[in-house]
Amino acid sequence: SKVNMSGLSLSKTLGNHMVLERAPASAVVWGFAEPGMEVRTTFCTSEYISKAGKDGIWRTKLPPTPAGGPYSIFFQASDGRGAILKDVMFGDVYVCGGQSNMEFSMGYNENAREYIRDADNYPDIRLFTVGQRTSSRTPLSDLRTIEQPWSRASSKTVSTGEKFSYFSAVCWFFGLRIYRSLGGEVPIGLVSINWGGTKIQQWVPPETTRPCGHRSTGELWNAMVAPYTVGPMAVLGFTWYQGEANIGGYPDLPEQNGNYTCAQTEMIRLWRERFNVPDAFFAVSILSTWFTSAKGNLLLPQMRDQQIASGAFLNNFAYASNADYGSGKDIHPISKQHVGARLGNAALAIVYGRPINWRSPSYASAAQTGNGELTVQLNDVTDAGLTLKPPANVNANFKLKDCPALNVRRPNTCAWAALQFDDARKSWVNASVALGVDRRTMVLTAAPPSGAKGILASSYGWG
């Protein structure tokens, strides 16, 4: 895209009150000027000279700087024009992207007033929200719309009171978890880039998902993400909450949900490459429960498996389960504090080396232990043991308390439990669930249908 060549200007991704990535990274600051124009950057009494290229872009790499601040950074062009960045902190920078559940803001979160008021205690968490009024067929060199410029966290900057505005609740709770766990000694910069109802293909350049059997459109990558890669902005990692818009196809086909594992994996590789952080932390929120179509009730749990499966192809990849905090048939669960904190726990373990078991329990093995009874062993069960919760998509507010009756009307609507038997119809039967005496196993029990002698398979939370 064309850039401003009338004089010195800074990239709109930068701003007063921002956080730049701390040492060992060398943060980059950049902007625009007439081709060939020299720009002198002054930081901590040292000067750095850069020159605008033929594309009108100049870049300055700052020395690795420990966590702290505030700093002022001065810029002077050879034509006498200048600019300044004030109240700049050095710390850790994370990008939070996705669709409406990442966009879902603090003002509508559970216990919103309490959490919003608490934000006044964390002025060294800094926030930026990219505007949603721009899409582009070609990559832009700078942002055209900004919803929230760099701001210190406070009760006024974490919420506008609207449901889909600034600031992202998931992103906030993610950053808050990290900031608190680091003892408040490392400023945290959070960049929220999201757009409700969007598919993953809109967030990568067109050629990215060709290996996945389809072509991306890339209009949101071009307008909302590409401007950050011009420097590129130094970041430590990414979080991602998206996938609802990609649910589709047929549950019995291998490329259901748009071959999502492939698309997500290629997106992560692309973002890491363009930000020049090939091994950056990247964590995704596993989709919660809601009521979809009869076909979608199978596609949704398949999507969760597809999201997790990217970990087989990527290092420093993590996920956070959100299936246990749904809001009935609402696609936008209101308790974002849980998934945000879980994403933060994953970062604390992978990035900062904290001894935290961030993985949620998952299936390991199963054995038939009685007539119509199956005992399931799970991975990643902590010493605290398991806690049995009702299905998150059965919510008292919607008067949906009877899982078996609900599933009779529409199979797999209620994400509870079932056993498949070896009768002639290979029947799936709704099962009751209990914890083993050691609280580390689950026991599924169902009445065997006529002719059944054994159990073939089991499901739990599959819906």
Side-chain angles (χ1 to χ4, degrees):
S1 67
K2 293 182 179 181
V3 300
N4 174 24
M5 295 186 180
S6 61
L8 176 69
S9 64
L10 302 178
S11 167
K12 292 184 177 66
T13 63
L14 311 177
N16 297 334
H17 317 301
M18 75 176 301
V19 175
L20 291 172
E21 185 60 38
R22 62 172 168 154
S26 295
V28 177
V29 289
W30 72 97
F32 311 98
E34 295 176 11
M37 182 177 288
E38 285 192 347
V39 177
R40 177 181 284 105
T41 301
T42 304
F43 173 65
C44 289
T45 71
S46 296
E47 293 185 347
Y48 308 89
I49 304 297
S50 57
K51 182 180 291 187
K54 293 180 180 180
D55 57 2
I57 299 171
W58 57 268
R59 300 172 178 85
T60 298
K61 181 178 287 188
L62 300 176
T65 304
Y71 296 93
S72 292
I73 306 175
F74 301 89
F75 305 90
Q76 187 78 38
S78 54
D79 69 350
R81 302 188 187 191
I84 184 173
L85 290 174
K86 300 178 181 179
D87 188 33
V88 175
M89 308 296 288
F90 280 79
D92 289 338
V93 181
Y94 290 91
V95 175
C96 304
Q99 58 179 105
S100 57
N101 269 307
M102 184 61 86
E103 181 185 357
F104 188 99
S105 57
M106 289 289 293
Y108 271 68
N109 199 81
E110 181 182 42
N111 300 324
R113 290 184 179 180
E114 174 186 344
Y115 291 124
I116 291 170
R117 186 169 55 249
D118 185 54
D120 286 328
N121 296 313
Y122 306 102
D124 282 347
I125 300 179
R126 307 295 176 89
L127 315 173
F128 187 99
T129 304
V130 176
Q132 297 180 342
R133 296 185 298 279
T134 304
S135 62
S136 176
R137 294 183 179 179
T138 58
L140 302 181
S141 59
D142 207 2
L143 298 173
R144 291 186 179 171
T145 53
I146 296 172
E147 185 167 355
Q148 178 188 33
W150 280 104
S151 307
R152 298 177 181 177
S154 72
S155 56
K156 297 184 183 300
T157 61
V158 298
S159 174
T160 64
E162 298 179 11
K163 189 172 185 178
F164 297 105
S165 182
Y166 61 79
F167 189 70
S168 162
V170 171
C171 193
W172 169 256
F173 289 117
F174 165 76
L176 182 62
R177 173 67 174 138
I178 295 172
Y179 181 81
R180 283 175 167 172
S181 296
L182 298 181
E185 297 178 355
V186 179
I188 298 295
L190 301 173
V191 179
S192 179
I193 306 176
N194 44 66
W195 194 315
T198 55
K199 294 185 177 183
I200 197 169
Q201 292 90 340
Q202 297 172 266
W203 293 100
V204 288
E207 69 277 8
T208 307
T209 56
R210 281 180 178 170
C212 311
H214 49 77
R215 183 177 173 85
S216 299
T217 55
E219 68 272 21
L220 300 185
W221 161 267
N222 291 336
M224 301 176 72
V225 187
Y228 285 88
T229 69
V230 171
M233 179 173 283
V235 302
L236 195 56
F238 307 86
T239 62
W240 181 251
Y241 195 150
Q242 191 275 333
E244 298 93 338
N246 282 94
I247 291 177
Y250 295 91
D252 56 347
L253 295 180
E255 295 185 356
Q256 69 271 52
N257 300 325
N259 200 3
Y260 193 84
T261 296
C262 178
Q264 178 179 260
T265 302
E266 293 303 317
M267 182 204 73
I268 293 171
R269 287 171 174 160
L270 186 281
W271 282 38
R272 286 172 167 177
E273 174 192 338
R274 298 295 176 88
F275 277 85
N276 197 27
V277 280
D279 295 314
F281 169 81
F282 206 114
V284 303
S285 173
I286 304 306
L287 299 188
S288 187
T289 51
W290 76 91
F291 293 169
T292 63
S293 63
K295 180 174 65 176
N297 288 335
L298 293 177
L299 290 169
L300 174 57
Q302 288 177 337
M303 170 63 86
R304 296 192 194 106
D305 280 356
Q306 289 173 307
Q307 291 179 292
I308 294 171
S310 286
F313 308 100
L314 302 165
N315 61 352
N316 295 330
F317 172 84
Y319 58 87
S321 174
N322 200 30
D324 55 336
Y325 283 103
S327 294
K329 57 187 176 183
D330 193 342
I331 199 172
H332 301 117
I334 63 173
S335 303
K336 304 296 192 202
Q337 67 271 25
H338 303 293
V339 67
R342 289 170 178 176
L343 291 167
N345 284 340
L348 289 168
I350 294 173
V351 178
Y352 302 97
R354 299 296 177 88
I356 297 174
N357 181 9
W358 58 267
R359 295 176 178 84
S360 56
S362 61
Y363 177 89
S365 63
Q368 186 167 346
T369 49
N371 184 31
E373 180 184 281
L374 192 77
T375 299
V376 180
Q377 305 286 335
L378 300 170
N379 298 311
D380 297 303
V381 179
T382 67
D383 291 339
L386 298 168
T387 298
L388 192 61
K389 298 176 61 177
N393 61 352
V394 174
N395 186 300
N397 293 334
F398 299 101
K399 300 179 181 179
L400 301 171
K401 301 178 180 179
D402 188 345
C403 276
L406 191 62
N407 284 341
V408 168
R409 295 198 300 271
R410 178 180 288 179
N412 301 296
T413 296
C414 178
W416 190 228
L419 294 176
Q420 185 184 34
F421 290 89
D422 62 355
D423 59 307
R425 300 179 60 184
K426 292 185 170 48
S427 304
W428 281 96
V429 180
N430 286 298
S432 61
V433 184
L435 297 181
V437 292
D438 58 359
R439 300 189 64 82
R440 305 180 70 88
T441 57
M442 295 172 58
V443 180
L444 277 60
T445 306
S450 177
K453 297 180 180 179
I455 299 171
L456 299 176
S458 62
S459 71
Y460 177 76
W462 190 257

